[in-house]
Amino acid sequence: MSFKLNNPLFEKLGMKYPIIQGGMAWAGTGHLAGSVSEAGGLGIIGTGYWKADKVREEIHRAREVTDKPFGVNVMLLSRHIREVFDVVIEEGVKVVATGAGDPSPFIDELHSHGILVIPVIPSVGLAKMMEKKGVDAVVAEGMESGGHIGSLTTMTLVPQVVDAVNIPVIAAGGIGDGRGVAAAFMLGASGVQMGTRFLASEESEVHENFKNAVVKAKDIDTLVTGEIMGNRARVLKTKMSKNFVKQERIEIQKPKPDADAIEDLENGSLRRAVIDGDKATGAFMAGQVSGLITELKPVAQILEDTWSQAEDLLN
Ligand SMILES: Cc1cc2nc3c(=O)[nH]c(=O)nc-3n(C[C@H](O)[C@H](O)[C@H](O)COP(=O)(O)O)c2cc1C
């Protein structure tokens, strides 16, 4: 017997597994996203603060490895979003995921091109608002996640969002194996999104230092930056991130940085982790589930192992 999924979106996209690789700025490259879609999940390219040309290049890189649908995550704080949406539409991308903001102004336009819109949300209020605006599903993301986070845990957020909306709810945050997937389904989710697990995959193009740091991390090896300054983000504990948190207490006395300074800080420090593997100044965004991840695997094996374990438990 096989567990019956109740998610028409995934059927529409022809996915074999109800598992999405979450968009990750810098780390969610076309190669990784294409590989996940090719193996039967849904890969999502993370565009962060990228300009249109780079987004187009990564969409083409995804198409080098798959003919299957994949998504693009648009970071709504970026100043390049209009041009990024234009590229997504021109290139015939099938799914847009959004993070850090309200995608409402773009939903009708994306739908008119047959593009599914799936925002990431950290609260019930936002989930309800997104449903009203007509999105196709929501990703309910708990604060266990790597990257930018809200304040609720996946365990508490997912069932409350499931009760509040009538669209598919995809659970994210702290899921690294089939036990997490099965638990998410028990909470009422009809799909899961994983980020950190896919950082430690063979197809992930993050620097070796980053992959090794995820594999080596233990349960308590992440911390949250931005608790004081805003833009809370979960990263691996490094000398730099520990120092950053200390420094925040001093910096709070000074005027709030402008948009350029924030982009430079966030985009720059993540790039230094992902591309350069720079332990001294990079921000190694990764989730609490890092402690559960002990080896690098090909994405096809991650999907297969995760889903077969989940299916056994669910059955
Ligand atoms: C390195 C990194 C970068 C991320 N960047 C983004 C992003 O640009 N936009 C977004 O919506 N989510 C982003 N995320 C969140 C992931 O898409 C995903 O929801 C999250 O990693 C799930 O939690 P997990 O890490 O516990 O699996 C990022 C996560 C990581 C680890």
Side-chain angles (χ1 to χ4, degrees):
M1 193 184 82
S2 128
F3 177 72
K4 189 84 191 96
L5 271 178
N6 181 22
N7 191 331
L9 281 188
F10 292 173
E11 275 162 41
K12 206 171 182 175
L13 292 167
M15 290 159 65
K16 185 172 168 200
Y17 306 107
I19 300 173
I20 298 178
Q21 167 253 312
M24 297 181 277
W26 288 107
T29 58
H31 181 72
L32 175 63
S35 304
V36 171
S37 286
E38 181 60 19
L42 179 72
I44 298 189
I45 297 171
T47 63
Y49 290 96
W50 282 345
K51 292 188 179 152
D53 285 354
K54 174 68 176 162
V55 175
R56 197 186 298 277
E57 187 187 316
E58 292 298 320
I59 290 173
H60 292 175
R61 290 188 70 223
R63 295 223 164 100
E64 282 169 19
V65 283
T66 193
D67 295 328
K68 297 187 175 146
F70 54 85
V72 168
N73 179 285
V74 182
M75 219 277 287
L76 295 163
L77 285 178
S78 162
R79 280 166 290 170
H80 311 297
I81 51 173
R82 182 60 260 175
E83 49 181 286
V84 169
F85 279 126
D86 289 342
V87 168
V88 163
I89 292 165
E90 280 163 32
E91 291 288 337
V93 168
K94 297 283 182 274
V95 178
V96 161
T98 60
D102 176 8
S104 304
F106 306 99
I107 294 172
D108 288 346
E109 183 188 1
L110 293 168
H111 278 166
S112 74
H113 292 279
I115 301 172
L116 299 170
V117 184
I118 309 181
V120 177
I121 53 95
S123 67
V124 169
L126 265 178
K128 283 164 91 168
M129 183 177 125
M130 288 297 104
E131 180 183 40
K132 228 186 234 164
K133 305 272 183 186
V135 302
D136 301 279
V138 286
V139 174
E141 189 194 66
M143 51 79 88
E144 298 92 323
S145 297
H148 290 108
I149 54 168
S151 52
L152 296 174
T153 59
T154 304
M155 182 75 122
T156 52
L157 176 66
V158 171
Q160 294 186 70
V161 172
V162 166
D163 285 349
V165 300
N166 290 309
I167 49 177
V169 176
I170 294 148
I175 300 170
D177 65 17
R179 292 171 296 178
V181 176
F185 279 95
M186 288 295 107
L187 296 175
S190 54
V192 300
Q193 169 163 303
M194 304 194 293
T196 303
R197 175 61 270 193
F198 286 110
L199 287 175
S201 66
E202 283 181 7
E203 292 84 347
S204 155
E205 295 178 292
V206 303
H207 195 281
E208 287 303 307
N209 289 350
F210 201 158
K211 292 190 189 186
N212 291 336
V214 171
V215 168
K216 278 199 196 132
K218 298 188 298 292
D219 54 351
I220 55 168
D221 283 346
T222 67
L223 57 73
V224 178
T225 58
E227 292 279 18
I228 297 176
M229 307 268 284
N231 286 353
R232 298 169 76 235
R234 185 174 300 285
V235 300
L236 291 177
K237 275 185 192 164
T238 57
K239 217 175 181 179
M240 180 273 191
S241 61
K242 284 193 231 169
N243 211 19
F244 185 97
V245 168
K246 258 193 221 152
Q247 203 51 31
E248 276 192 79
R249 289 175 227 279
I250 301 165
E251 293 288 324
I252 193 69
Q253 323 287 352
K254 299 184 188 162
K256 216 173 159 23
D258 62 14
D260 278 337
I262 291 175
E263 176 170 333
D264 195 46
L265 188 71
E266 294 214 321
N267 196 29
S269 59
L270 180 57
R271 185 187 54 71
R272 288 193 294 277
V274 171
I275 308 291
D276 308 330
D278 180 347
K279 290 183 187 162
T281 67
F284 293 77
M285 285 183 173
Q288 290 182 330
V289 77
S290 298
L292 196 67
I293 297 166
T294 53
E295 56 175 333
L296 294 181
K297 292 183 190 179
V299 293
Q301 199 189 333
I302 292 175
L303 291 167
E304 166 64 29
D305 291 354
T306 305
W307 184 238
S308 65
Q309 187 186 23
E311 242 188 346
D312 281 351
L313 291 168
L314 291 165
N315 285 334

